[in-house]
Amino acid sequence: MKIRTLRARPAASLRASAQRLALVSLAVGSASSVLAQSAPGAGELLAQNLRSPSLAETVVAATRTPQPLTDLVADVSVVDRETIENSGVTGLADLLARLPGVEFSRNGGPGTTTGVFLRGAESRFTAVYIDGVRIDSQSTGGAPWESIPLGLIDRIEVLRGPAGAVYGSDAMGGVVQIFTKRGERGTAPYVGVGLGSHGTSKLEAGISGASGTWDYALGLSRENSKGFNARTVATQNPDRDGFRNTAGHARVGLQVDAVHRLEGTLMVNDTNSGYDNGLGKDDRSLHTMHALGLNWNAQWSSAYKTRLSITDSRDQYETRPSPYLTDTRLRGYYFQNEYRQGAHLVTAALERREDRLENKPIDAKRSQDALALGYGYNAEGHTVQLNLRHDSDSEFGGKSTGSASYGYAITPQWRATASVGTAFRAPTLYHRFSEYGVATLRPESSRNAEVALRYAQGSSTFSATLFRNRVSNLISFGGAGTCASSFGCYANTARAEYKGVTFAGSHRMGDVQLHGSIDLQRPRDLDTGKQLARRAKQHATVGADTRLGGWTVGAEVQASGRRFDTVANTNVLGGYALVNLYASTRIARNYTLIARIDNLTDKDYQLARTYATAGRVAYVGVKWAPQ
């Protein structure tokens, strides 16, 4: 899992540099919980196991094809735009950490290195897409979470559990699909401003619409914060480590005729944040990301349709004045075929991915070609999903993955599901070609099994999901070996197991909506038996919201158990509980006020050793959006 600040702070000595690079594989995590559901009219965020079976909303995260949420066997959560706005949170990780099975850690405040993992799996084991464009770092592995602008996101789908047979490399812990807004008929402008603690200010504006055969959506956001001193040790520079973030997105579509649709998407982000490098300097992290996609969808008949996508993404990270630069570029080609006949759906896809890393002296590239097949059946209370995929990597050869899932509606309210599957993660180009790299590293592989029981009737929902995911050939940093460094080398020497159970539910009592979730898990190193770094054995949430005098108001408690900062389990990160309050109301016809207080009790806690957290923070925002 990536810890980019460790990677980004080159040391004067080789040993210090190697130590930081060795820590790249450590996982980062903290408290996680379900995001509170809003009261009627305020939007909803619900896990798939909290959805009512009567709702026909479609999702794509499970199979890369649109499916009704109620038909899924996979464990999926959905976050809509209204929920994002009402939450008042600043970062994407803060939002995701309120979902079942999600933990995160951050080295300081917003804008600094952030890691997210699902069900205890390393950050590099989650495949992340923006409008279908894969984003990743080939230096540390995993998505640049701190560089994905939450203000420009319209919808998020989170798939918990491996999906290698659908997505190929990287989807060992799960998948996060992020979507920007798509224009609808008419014209819909918006402008939003907000102020918060630590000198935080936010400005966002955009417009979307559709006319004739064209639709469009454009958005810009700007956020600044003076921040706070991110380090808790006396030897660090005691300045405020602030950040500024500028982002934009565009999505343009053309319905050529009844059969063909063309679409282009673009998201760009530029972040400049401060950090302490241990030498008393005021260093800056410069992070640039873009995700560009071109799509052609064709509905050839009522039964057969295709999708062709060409995507390009970039993740560039640089530090100044301490010199460091790494640049990842991904190019993707995806051709999917879907044939639906009654209760049957057959899919076949060809995919090519090209990765390149420039990280002096590294200038390396590779490609992966894949064939993926899928079959789905849904009728008379039975749901079957089968997937098989073969990836051929230009460096290490072929890798096959498969999955099988089954769901059965015991009654109209109760549904049971079971699934098994395999997944893998190809070694990053840094793992293979840096001075600590070994060219013969093998892919990290996993085998997952899970069962779930779900209930939904009216406003009452409940789910229990039991899972076990075992990883072999886990890449870790070990002693000296065949690499160029005498300090140590990467090697396929570790094994890990992520197993646990997730309970989630919601229930309405009068005008009050209650919700909660708890994750009981055991993320451990199978060879040593020790708890994996920065992951808790328990994390949970409980909350309630209601409407009072035109306000939507709510409260939630997020809690996490004890974690260890190191793989040796020597440095303890204490457990904690945070109390958060939020409220929103319409103050005029086209104006909405949003307010939030996080960590009401000003709890002192750490998500990473020697890195401070913000303490009590408040945020107030106003948005203008003509109805």
Side-chain angles (χ1 to χ4, degrees):
M1 178 169 190
K2 66 179 181 188
I3 300 180
R4 191 171 287 104
T5 48
L6 297 176
R7 174 198 71 185
R9 295 170 184 148
S13 68
L14 175 63
R15 180 178 179 84
S17 177
Q19 288 174 328
R20 279 191 283 275
L21 291 165
L23 289 173
V24 162
S25 61
L26 291 177
V28 292
S30 69
S32 145
S33 65
V34 172
L35 176 60
Q37 299 172 3
S38 301
E44 296 177 321
L45 177 153
L46 298 171
Q48 182 255 353
N49 52 11
L50 301 180
R51 286 282 191 185
S52 167
S54 63
L55 299 179
E57 181 178 355
T58 59
V59 297
V60 302
T63 61
R64 298 179 88 164
T65 62
Q67 289 182 290
L69 187 60
T70 53
D71 293 344
L72 291 182
V73 180
D75 186 13
V76 177
S77 293
V78 178
V79 187
D80 62 22
R81 180 61 205 167
E82 203 165 9
T83 300
I84 296 172
E85 293 178 349
N86 290 337
S87 72
V89 300
T90 300
L92 175 59
D94 302 78
L95 182 69
L96 295 180
R98 300 159 69 186
L99 293 170
V102 185
E103 298 175 272
F104 89 103
S105 187
R106 182 188 292 129
N107 289 7
T112 60
T113 297
T114 303
V116 173
F117 46 76
L118 306 183
R119 292 182 176 176
E122 276 75 5
S123 188
R124 67 178 184 271
F125 293 165
T126 296
V128 180
Y129 293 79
I130 300 176
D131 287 328
V133 182
R134 180 79 171 94
I135 58 173
D136 186 47
S137 168
Q138 277 297 306
S139 55
T140 58
W145 295 100
E146 65 275 15
S147 291
I148 304 175
L150 182 62
L152 300 181
I153 296 174
D154 187 64
R155 175 185 171 89
I156 305 170
E157 298 178 8
V158 179
L159 168 66
R160 287 174 289 270
V166 176
Y167 290 90
S169 178
D170 311 347
M172 293 175 62
V175 177
V176 175
Q177 287 269 15
I178 297 168
F179 302 93
T180 58
K181 186 176 181 60
R182 175 174 169 176
E184 300 177 351
R185 188 161 298 280
T187 303
Y190 70 89
V191 176
V193 295
L195 297 174
S197 302
H198 305 300
T200 298
S201 63
K202 181 188 298 185
L203 173 64
E204 57 183 9
I207 187 171
S208 63
S211 178
T213 58
W214 290 91
D215 59 82
Y216 62 92
L218 305 172
L220 295 171
S221 69
R222 173 77 172 183
E223 187 171 0
N224 293 275
S225 179
K226 294 180 180 178
F228 55 91
N229 184 26
R231 300 304 297 274
T232 60
V233 292
T235 57
Q236 302 298 320
N237 186 13
D239 65 331
R240 300 176 70 172
D241 300 305
F243 75 95
R244 56 182 180 271
N245 178 284
T246 305
H249 87 93
R251 185 170 181 171
V252 180
L254 171 63
Q255 191 68 44
V256 180
D257 53 32
V259 175
H260 304 285
R261 173 179 169 81
L262 301 176
E263 185 177 72
T265 64
L266 173 66
M267 178 182 282
V268 295
N269 185 83
D270 181 80
T271 301
N272 185 322
S273 59
Y275 73 90
D276 297 325
N277 69 358
L279 302 177
K281 295 181 180 180
D282 183 20
D283 276 59
R284 308 297 299 181
S285 297
L286 311 179
H287 205 149
T288 301
M289 181 272 293
H290 81 238
L292 171 66
L294 299 174
N295 306 292
W296 168 37
N297 294 280
Q299 184 77 52
W300 301 102
S301 69
S302 59
Y304 177 57
K305 64 180 179 180
T306 60
R307 176 183 177 89
L308 177 63
S309 300
I310 301 175
T311 62
D312 184 270
S313 70
R314 186 176 188 178
D315 175 34
Q316 179 177 290
Y317 183 79
E318 182 179 4
T319 63
R320 297 176 183 172
S322 299
Y324 183 81
L325 175 65
T326 181
D327 191 356
T328 294
R329 301 181 185 183
L330 308 182
R331 177 67 58 84
Y333 307 87
Y334 186 67
F335 179 55
Q336 179 166 284
N337 298 263
E338 301 176 31
Y339 182 79
R340 188 182 298 273
Q341 187 66 43
H344 307 273
L345 174 64
V346 177
T347 61
L350 296 173
E351 184 168 17
R352 178 177 175 83
R353 172 175 159 177
E354 299 171 351
D355 303 347
R356 182 173 181 176
L357 173 66
E358 293 184 50
N359 187 330
K360 292 183 179 180
I362 305 170
D363 187 355
K365 58 184 178 180
R366 65 146 178 245
S367 62
Q368 295 175 351
D369 298 306
L371 169 64
L373 304 174
Y375 169 74
Y377 172 83
N378 184 42
E380 300 178 347
H382 299 275
T383 302
V384 176
Q385 183 64 49
L386 305 174
N387 290 93
L388 181 66
R389 178 175 171 128
H390 181 78
D391 287 82
S392 179
D393 191 285
S394 61
E395 299 296 330
F396 66 78
K399 185 71 174 180
S400 296
T401 50
S403 63
S405 304
Y406 173 71
Y408 177 64
I410 304 170
T411 71
Q413 296 79 33
W414 288 96
R415 190 162 187 255
T417 63
S419 64
V420 295
T422 59
F424 78 101
R425 164 88 193 193
T428 67
L429 292 171
Y430 190 90
H431 282 151
R432 299 185 68 251
F433 297 113
S434 70
E435 62 179 310
Y436 313 101
V438 178
T440 57
L441 285 175
R442 301 184 301 279
E444 300 167 287
S445 302
S446 73
R447 294 179 178 272
N448 181 76
E450 62 185 84
V451 294
L453 183 64
R454 297 164 183 149
Y455 172 84
Q457 184 175 30
S459 60
S460 298
T461 61
F462 169 78
S463 69
T465 305
L466 182 68
F467 62 90
R468 187 188 72 180
N469 189 8
R470 286 189 171 180
V471 177
S472 58
N473 292 329
L474 188 66
I475 297 175
S476 60
F477 192 84
T482 59
C483 68
S485 171
S486 60
F487 175 71
C489 308
Y490 290 111
N492 294 110
T493 57
R495 299 181 303 146
E497 180 181 68
Y498 319 110
K499 69 177 181 180
V501 60
T502 299
F503 299 100
S506 66
H507 179 68
R508 181 171 293 277
M509 296 181 60
D511 295 331
V512 179
Q513 179 70 49
L514 306 173
H515 65 91
S517 73
I518 181 169
D519 283 271
L520 306 174
Q521 60 182 10
R522 190 182 181 190
R524 65 188 179 111
D525 185 312
L526 285 177
D527 295 318
T528 66
K530 294 184 181 297
Q531 186 173 327
L532 293 174
R534 298 185 183 176
R535 273 153 282 193
K537 289 186 177 180
Q538 312 90 15
H539 55 92
T541 188
V542 62
D545 54 64
T546 188
R547 289 189 65 85
L548 294 173
W551 286 79
T552 296
V553 296
E556 62 187 3
V557 177
Q558 295 176 275
S560 176
R562 183 185 67 168
R563 293 140 296 129
F564 294 98
D565 193 63
T566 62
V567 294
N569 289 185
T570 53
N571 297 315
V572 176
L573 299 172
Y576 60 89
L578 308 178
V579 179
N580 307 319
L581 305 178
Y582 52 92
S584 63
T585 187
R586 183 164 293 178
I587 56 178
R589 181 181 176 184
N590 298 321
Y591 293 85
T592 302
L593 173 69
I594 300 169
R596 182 173 181 88
I597 300 177
D598 285 329
N599 193 3
L600 178 67
T601 62
D602 202 23
K603 173 69 174 179
D604 184 14
Y605 67 104
Q606 289 187 333
L607 302 179
R609 186 170 179 265
T610 76
Y611 286 91
T613 50
R616 182 190 302 112
V617 294
Y619 174 83
V620 177
V622 177
K623 183 174 182 179
W624 170 79
Q627 303 299 311

